[in-house]
Amino acid sequence: MILESLTWEELQPGMTAELRRLCTVDDFYAFAAASGNHNPVHLSDRDGDGDGRPDATAPGMFVASLISAVLGNLLPGPGTRYRAQTLEFHELVSAGDELITRITVSDKDPDGTVALATEVRRIADDKVVLSGAARVSAPPVKLRFDDVEVPGLVVQRHRHFDAMIEQAEALPDLLTAVVCPEEEQSLGGALLAAERHLIAPILIGNADKIAAIARGMGKSLAGCEVIATGSDEEAAACAVDLVNVGRAHAVMKGHLHTDALLHPMLDRARGLRIGRRFTHVFVMDVPGVEHPLLVTDAAINIAPDLATKVDIVQNAIDLALSLGIEMPKVGVLSAVETVNPAIPSSIDAALLSKMAERGQIRGGMVDGPLAMDNAVDLGAARTKGIKSAVAGRAEVLVVPGIDAGNMLAKQLAYISHAEGAGLVLGAKVPVILNSRSDSAKARLASCAVAAIHHHRSTQ
């Protein structure tokens, strides 16, 4: 951004300048963080005025701060110092409103100060939302800055998960067999999801232990069916039986090893196989990314061969379609974006891309090999000269193996502040797979993703 000031001598009454600004929900969160004003009436996930609807009304001083942006950037520009400001607020401003802030020089004083009329209007209806007057000290010398940059801000808000949870709350409660919820995190997550009407839990495991944990948490098990079993293996088998007789439409992992949970599901006689391999998908809500990001497989298939990767890709596409992504763009990752016979993952990626082109993988666009940068960043893809509908726009990332997937998912969670919902696909019903370290939001989102996918799959 180039900024250039006007000195006191250059300023004349009648001079005017203006800036436009689209107000967003994230603007109000950033202002709350910077100012310390956490009034819920300004936040999109809170009902701050008791009318039963979440609010996203702009803080008055956020709107007023738009005046200082014109003063500091344009008129008089860099070097301007505030002396006084009067404000009169006329209309409320909400997220989604586009505003135009206009200031006009009204007078000059010999002491180097300048008086300016200030106003902010809403463009949609041309109503004045704020008016007032400013007095500033004009820059004493001409100043020009050619490279003014400020650090970018990313609001750590998980709006994709918020939307998914809201969507799932409108669906019938998902009948869910919760296997061994025998510690606070797993039981608490199931009960929280039940409170939000995402699932209707059937608790399977040590009944006395489950009851004791609920009492310790101050939670009631009223309305929850509890099925007593003697071991983790029995609990997992019971969950499979409930699915097979139609009493459960999802399975949720509690406090047991993943292998113990999945073992009876893989049984060829009484398990939950439907022809595809079981694969795992992390649905990641990454702050600043405009869409959910699906990472697969990061939890089940250790070193998948090409046939397994076909199921990994197809399962992920099916889930992405359930989540409302109309034509999922799948980037198959490798260390390079060209086929290298010395790198097996690059060969698999190219074959998967061709298989999708020939209709062997359906429902999405698949391209690879792609390196991570040119899979998710359009600028990087253009720099490398990659012409593809997927490159730079990938919504699904297929990793070479479990180690790469695990590292990618945890990097997104712990460095990029993402939340991740975990789901196993390829079974008769979705299998909710949470980690003990998952937050309440991640647990709710996992249940929401399962409910949405089940609803879409049964339509």
Side-chain angles (χ1 to χ4, degrees):
M1 178 183 291
I2 298 174
L3 301 180
E4 187 171 356
S5 64
L6 295 171
T7 64
W8 184 88
E9 289 79 8
E10 293 175 300
L11 292 167
Q12 299 297 328
M15 282 185 170
T16 187
E18 61 186 35
L19 280 176
R20 293 186 175 215
R21 175 66 175 260
L22 176 65
C23 298
T24 69
V25 167
D26 283 356
D27 287 335
F28 304 162
Y29 280 109
F31 187 83
S35 68
N37 176 10
H38 297 169
N39 184 349
V41 77
H42 305 310
L43 307 180
S44 66
D45 60 347
R46 297 288 187 271
D47 174 17
D49 56 10
D51 65 356
R53 299 189 305 273
D55 301 295
T57 303
M61 296 310 294
F62 169 81
V63 180
S65 72
L66 303 180
I67 297 170
S68 67
V70 185
L71 294 171
N73 292 341
L74 300 176
L75 186 68
T80 300
R81 295 183 182 275
Y82 249 128
R83 290 296 189 86
Q85 174 77 58
T86 63
L87 299 169
E88 186 173 355
F89 298 92
H90 306 284
E91 297 278 338
L92 292 177
V93 173
S94 299
D97 285 347
E98 188 175 8
L99 305 178
I100 186 165
T101 304
R102 183 178 295 114
I103 66 171
T104 305
V105 177
S106 54
D107 197 9
K108 297 167 57 176
D109 285 340
D111 64 357
T113 61
V114 181
L116 307 102
T118 61
E119 72 169 19
V120 181
R121 287 181 177 269
R122 184 167 44 233
I123 292 176
D125 56 11
D126 198 35
K127 286 187 176 180
V128 175
V129 299
L130 184 155
S131 62
R135 181 166 290 276
V136 302
S137 292
V141 296
K142 191 78 170 177
L143 299 170
R144 179 185 170 92
F145 299 90
D146 295 333
D147 57 352
V148 177
E149 295 288 345
V150 297
L153 296 177
V154 176
V155 176
Q156 293 179 25
R157 188 169 63 90
H158 300 98
R159 57 192 176 92
H160 303 307
F161 279 178
D162 291 340
M164 290 178 194
I165 292 169
E166 183 178 356
Q167 180 183 351
E169 286 176 329
L171 301 175
D173 297 1
L174 182 64
L175 290 168
T176 303
V178 186
V179 183
C180 300
E182 297 168 0
E183 50 83 45
E184 287 192 7
Q185 293 285 0
S186 56
L187 181 59
L191 296 179
L192 179 61
E195 291 170 9
R196 296 291 295 269
H197 296 286
L198 302 176
I199 67 172
I202 303 170
L203 308 177
I204 309 169
N206 186 313
D208 292 337
K209 187 178 290 187
I210 293 170
I213 292 167
R215 284 195 300 271
M217 297 171 60
K219 295 286 187 179
S220 170
L221 297 181
C224 294
E225 181 180 359
V226 179
I227 299 177
T229 59
S231 67
D232 292 354
E233 292 74 17
E234 287 182 24
C238 178
V240 169
D241 291 340
L242 291 178
V243 171
N244 283 328
V245 299
R247 290 195 56 211
H249 299 150
V251 176
M252 185 174 184
K253 178 178 180 283
H255 188 54
L256 77 166
H257 290 296
T258 301
D259 287 349
L261 176 72
L262 297 181
H263 185 264
M265 298 183 191
L266 295 169
D267 185 270
R268 294 189 180 277
R270 55 179 288 198
L272 303 182
R273 292 173 179 265
I274 56 172
R276 288 187 200 161
R277 291 162 180 82
F278 284 16
T279 68
H280 180 272
V281 178
F282 273 121
V283 181
M284 310 295 294
D285 189 340
V286 188
V289 176
E290 291 299 313
H291 53 78
L293 196 62
L294 280 63
V295 176
T296 186
D297 181 333
I300 292 182
N301 293 284
I302 297 173
D305 59 14
L306 180 63
T308 302
K309 287 181 179 179
V310 171
D311 286 349
I312 288 172
V313 173
Q314 190 64 66
N315 284 341
I317 288 174
D318 292 348
L319 179 59
L321 290 169
S322 293
L323 296 177
I325 301 175
E326 292 184 5
M327 179 58 71
K329 293 178 279 294
V330 181
V332 188
L333 299 182
S334 184
V336 294
E337 60 279 345
T338 55
V339 177
N340 185 333
I343 304 178
S345 62
S346 73
I347 299 173
D348 285 352
L351 291 171
L352 290 166
S353 179
K354 180 57 71 174
M355 292 172 78
E357 189 179 303
R358 297 291 170 86
Q360 293 170 271
I361 298 171
R362 299 174 302 280
M365 294 181 287
V366 182
D367 193 18
L370 293 172
M372 182 67 185
D373 57 346
N374 46 62
V376 299
D377 185 86
L378 196 56
R382 287 172 175 166
T383 298
K384 295 287 183 69
I386 303 172
K387 297 179 180 179
S388 160
V390 174
R393 306 177 180 88
E395 295 148 333
V396 179
L397 299 176
V398 179
V399 298
I402 197 171
D403 48 359
N406 186 274
M407 286 184 274
L408 174 57
K410 288 182 177 175
Q411 181 272 329
L412 291 172
Y414 289 96
I415 298 178
S416 301
H417 308 289
E419 292 279 12
L423 214 62
V424 175
L425 303 169
K428 289 181 181 178
V429 297
V431 180
I432 301 164
L433 211 61
N434 286 121
S435 166
R436 287 190 65 182
S437 62
D438 282 347
S439 68
K441 175 61 70 69
R443 293 173 185 276
L444 286 175
S446 295
C447 293
V449 170
I452 293 167
H453 184 54
H454 170 74
H455 179 74
R456 169 69 182 261
S457 302
T458 55
Q459 295 305 298

